[in-house]
Amino acid sequence: GAVVSQHPSWVICKSGTSVKIECRSLDFQATTMFWYRQFPKQSLMLMATSNEGSKATYEQGVEKDKFLINHASLTLSTLTVTSAHPEDSSFYICSLVTGEQGNQPQHFGDGTRLSIL
Amino acid sequence: GQNIDQPTEMTATEGAIVQINCTYQTSGFNGLFWYQQHAGEAPTFLSYNVLDGLEEKGRFSSFLSRSKGYSYLLLKELQMKDSASYLCAPKDSNYQLIWGAGTKLIIKP
């Protein structure tokens, strides 16, 4: 069954709008979640690692003030794209591991397709 | 630097066998994952190798040679639904997955 629930699946909104994406782990506690972005025909790009109860770790080049991550509980991490612009249009995907990171695969949510007009 | 090298695209026939190769260079190594990603969807986990050799899972098998920095994914009895991108993703010394652009596999009847 599904390990991760991501919502919403699609978002279409006007430029300047802030958009919140939720990622929930189902049936277990996830201390760490990952947020990715993927542009068409390109590889997954890790944006940040979300840690429950502490600040997220952002990858180089990712604006932490633009992409706000909150991991307030062991089952929920949110990504807020603030004041979104057309260049932020992309496929955003969260993932998590269910155990020790060494040999456990990342399980992905279904992704959120964000289109900024 | 860290690098993944896979063919951009491959074509195979329904019912046949296809091997998707992957060579990688990472700072340290903590296993290698293969994922399947259908167009417009998130990746789904297929297989994991940490030791040299072949791991078999139904129609899919994955092979690893750590000394050569090489892995392959073998798909047997191809079905039309296998048309997707296949992502080879090794983990580096920080347990971070390194992603390439993947191989787009096209299955023809």
Side-chain angles (χ1 to χ4, degrees), chain A residues 36 38 43 46 101 105-106 109, chain B residues 33 35 37 42 91 96 99-100:
Chain A
Y36 290 89
Q38 187 176 35
S43 61
L46 180 65
Q101 292 195 42
Q106 288 188 19
Chain B
F33 294 83
Y35 282 84
Q37 187 176 23
K91 272 191 175 180
Q96 184 161 89
W99 298 92

Side-chain angles (χ1 to χ4, degrees), chain B:
Chain B
Q2 311 206 91
N3 186 58
I4 310 295
D5 192 21
Q6 293 178 242
T8 304
E9 188 174 296
M10 298 180 70
T11 302
T13 305
E14 189 177 15
I17 298 172
V18 70
Q19 177 174 312
I20 302 174
N21 295 323
C22 168
T23 56
Y24 61 89
Q25 291 176 314
T26 55
S27 302
F29 179 77
N30 280 296
L32 184 143
F33 294 83
W34 281 94
Y35 282 84
Q36 179 190 61
Q37 187 176 23
H38 284 100
E41 298 181 10
T44 55
F45 168 69
L46 288 178
S47 69
Y48 170 71
N49 296 71
V50 66
L51 299 177
D52 290 351
L54 189 68
E55 293 283 339
E56 296 186 76
K57 254 185 165 184
R59 293 191 299 117
F60 294 1
S61 302
S62 56
F63 172 84
L64 175 67
S65 169
R66 289 171 295 171
S67 62
K68 295 182 179 177
Y70 167 70
S71 175
Y72 68 73
L73 181 70
L74 190 71
L75 294 79
K76 302 175 185 175
E77 301 170 16
L78 287 169
Q79 302 175 9
M80 297 303 293
K81 67 178 182 181
D82 297 330
S83 292
S85 288
Y86 291 86
L87 313 176
C88 162
K91 272 191 175 180
D92 66 13
S93 58
N94 294 320
Y95 293 95
Q96 184 161 89
L97 279 173
I98 310 301
W99 298 92
T103 297
K104 182 179 180 181
L105 178 63
I106 300 168
I107 309 298
K108 294 186 175 179

Side-chain angles (χ1 to χ4, degrees), chain A residues 16-32:
Chain A
T17 306
S18 291
V19 178
K20 180 186 280 189
I21 302 169
E22 293 187 348
C23 182
R24 293 182 182 274
S25 75
L26 306 176
D27 298 329
F28 68 95
Q29 298 174 335
T31 55
T32 303

Side-chain angles (χ1 to χ4, degrees), chain A residues 21-84:
Chain A
I21 302 169
E22 293 187 348
C23 182
R24 293 182 182 274
S25 75
L26 306 176
D27 298 329
F28 68 95
Q29 298 174 335
T31 55
T32 303
M33 293 186 182
F34 305 92
W35 287 97
Y36 290 89
R37 179 167 59 180
Q38 187 176 35
F39 293 104
K41 298 185 180 180
Q42 294 188 23
S43 61
L44 286 166
M45 187 194 82
L46 180 65
M47 299 176 67
T49 302
S50 169
N51 303 295
E52 187 270 335
S54 64
K55 291 183 179 179
T57 304
Y58 289 82
E59 296 300 305
Q60 192 172 11
V62 178
E63 300 174 58
K64 58 183 67 176
D65 294 331
K66 173 128 183 109
F67 299 100
L68 300 179
I69 291 173
N70 185 289
H71 194 156
S73 79
L74 287 169
T75 58
L76 176 64
S77 176
T78 61
L79 168 68
T80 301
V81 184
T82 60
S83 187

